[in-house]
Amino acid sequence: MTYRRAVIPAVFGGLLITLLMWWAGASAAALQLRGSTGVLGIDSVNELRSWLAPWSYDASTASVDPGAVGATRYADLYRTAMQIRFVAVFGVFVAGALLLIRRVPPTRGRTPALLLALWAWGPVACTLAVTLSAPWLLASREHGSFRILPQLASVISSSGPVAVFAGLLTAVLTVVVARVTVKGGAPLPRRAVPPRSARVAASVGTAVVALSLVVLSHVSVAGWIQTSFSGRGLLSEPGDLLREWLLLGSWAGPSTAPLGDWLLYRAADLLTLAVVWWSLRLLPGLLTRITAPAMAVGAVCAILLGLLASELLRTVADDTVTVWGPVHLFSGLGSNVPAALTFGVLAGTAAFAALRLTGGGDGRGGDGAEGDADGDSDGDGDAVKSSEPQPQISPVSPPQA
């Protein structure tokens, strides 16, 4: 898919998810209306408030100290943080969607893959936007310089499940727009990747993900990561921040929980790894051109899809609806996105290297030159050359007199 055709759906998706997140933040004030707790229940209202607070322009409904933002300078800093946050959501989503739509255009069986990838990219864009705006948000607090790294970790993890639901709606409508813009273009067949190369690349990438999900996420290792730093000063406690960017889960031996619950959560972890492996197995064949950035972004999306699948499995088996309310069932959606970013980039790069080493990543799509009907090409393919030898024409000497 050419660059010009991919810009329209990418920009549309960026505007849509930005408006949805702004609308979600503006809706936080409605939870303070009289009677909301009677209709939804106090537990559900508190849960929804925590979901919507990170996107609210109103400091009184956000998760900040109202007394700290009462002064003009704190209120201005908070508004600046929110402006940066929404601009970053638009920019990050457009950048990722542009790459995904160009490399996985919605044609020839690629439409479901593009839909899932764009859905996973929504929470990623929101998390990166929250991270980029975190310094201004921390500065708007009265005690923003106290334990700055733990506070930063708390802000980064506050994107919430609302980004998952907004990302789903955005992905569906963006794919519809992409299908309209690609109509009339040349069909792009699936590329042929050697099965052995695809399996090796998927196994290497999944092993990188398993390093976080199985090894680093064990309570003993996770506790060592969080408590191995000591001392004084603003940057003396990076443990919470490292946990956000390194751990895809948390688990311990069966002695700390009933065996049935332990097996259920391990089944959810295995489901995550299975989704990651299968996604990485199919990803090279779905790409019109295998590149390191495309593999990295695809691996990040694969990990997010695996985490969503495992969280849905836990939701089905959860029996705390009568205690915490139905909204609490979805509180885990969109979690561990920072760690998915870290290990997604590592897993995608490792899978790309494995493809190159095993001869499966030639960097070209199976569709030849990508171009519009009018002959415009984005330069991802080579011109089609004839394989037949051209006859040699020797000059004819003039007749002798």
Side-chain angles (χ1 to χ4, degrees):
M1 190 173 187
T2 60
Y3 181 82
R4 290 183 299 178
R5 289 186 174 183
V7 166
I8 297 175
V11 173
F12 171 81
L15 290 174
L16 181 59
I17 194 171
T18 303
L19 291 174
L20 288 175
M21 300 310 294
W22 178 86
W23 174 77
S27 302
L31 298 175
Q32 296 181 343
L33 296 177
R34 184 178 302 175
S36 60
T37 56
V39 175
L40 301 175
I42 187 164
D43 293 324
S44 296
V45 168
N46 291 333
E47 192 76 34
L48 288 173
R49 185 178 290 119
S50 67
W51 290 9
L52 303 179
W55 304 97
S56 175
Y57 258 98
D58 188 1
S60 62
T61 60
S63 55
V64 296
D65 185 3
V69 296
T72 304
R73 56 178 180 175
Y74 292 124
D76 290 342
L77 281 172
Y78 181 79
R79 284 192 293 268
T80 301
M82 299 309 299
Q83 291 168 2
I84 294 173
R85 183 166 298 186
F86 285 106
V87 171
V89 167
F90 173 79
V92 174
F93 186 88
V94 169
L98 187 60
L99 177 62
L100 290 172
I101 294 172
R102 291 189 68 198
R103 295 292 173 245
V104 190
T107 56
R108 288 289 184 98
R110 292 184 172 105
T111 301
L114 178 61
L115 175 63
L116 293 175
L118 289 175
W119 180 25
W121 188 249
V124 174
C126 293
T127 299
L128 287 176
V130 169
T131 304
L132 292 174
S133 63
W136 286 267
L137 184 64
L138 293 180
S140 68
R141 300 178 178 179
E142 185 178 3
H143 303 289
S145 61
F146 176 70
R147 290 172 54 87
I148 185 172
L149 292 183
Q151 286 191 75
L152 184 60
S154 177
V155 171
I156 291 173
S157 63
S158 64
S159 179
V162 65
V164 177
F165 298 112
L168 178 59
L169 179 59
T170 301
V172 172
L173 296 180
T174 302
V175 168
V176 172
V177 174
R179 291 277 295 181
V180 173
T181 57
V182 81
K183 193 170 293 185
L188 303 176
R190 297 277 293 270
R191 61 176 291 113
V193 179
R196 177 179 174 273
S197 299
R199 288 193 296 267
V200 170
S203 300
V204 171
T206 306
V208 174
V209 178
L211 174 65
S212 171
L213 192 62
V214 177
V215 179
L216 299 182
S217 294
H218 193 275
V219 291
S220 59
V221 182
W224 177 83
I225 292 174
Q226 188 170 10
T227 60
S228 58
F229 300 92
S230 60
R232 297 181 180 274
L234 296 177
L235 306 180
S236 62
E237 298 175 342
D240 291 342
L241 189 60
L242 286 176
R243 284 174 62 95
E244 286 294 326
W245 292 93
L246 294 179
L247 304 188
L248 284 167
S250 177
W251 68 283
S255 59
T256 60
L259 182 59
D261 294 341
W262 186 86
L263 292 176
L264 175 63
Y265 278 87
R266 299 296 70 76
D269 292 340
L270 290 177
L271 178 61
T272 300
L273 295 177
V275 171
V276 170
W277 188 90
W278 187 250
S279 301
L280 293 179
R281 167 67 178 82
L282 298 178
L283 181 60
L286 293 170
L287 295 174
T288 57
R289 183 184 180 189
I290 299 178
T291 60
M295 290 293 294
V297 173
V300 172
C301 295
I303 296 176
L304 260 295
L305 292 176
L307 292 175
L308 288 173
S310 65
E311 191 60 37
L312 290 176
L313 177 60
R314 295 188 181 102
T315 299
V316 172
D318 198 346
D319 57 353
T320 60
V321 178
T322 57
V323 180
W324 299 105
V327 179
H328 180 72
L329 285 175
F330 305 100
S331 60
L333 293 177
S335 58
N336 302 317
V337 178
L341 275 167
T342 301
F343 286 92
V345 172
L346 295 176
T349 305
F352 175 75
L355 279 173
R356 284 297 181 90
L357 292 175
T358 55
D362 57 0
R364 298 293 177 187
D367 52 316
E370 296 181 28
D372 286 325
D374 57 359
D376 180 30
S377 176
D378 63 355
D380 287 347
D382 296 328
V384 179
K385 299 179 180 179
S386 176
S387 59
E388 296 182 1
Q390 299 295 328
Q392 300 294 328
I393 302 176
S394 57
V396 179
S397 57
Q400 301 294 328

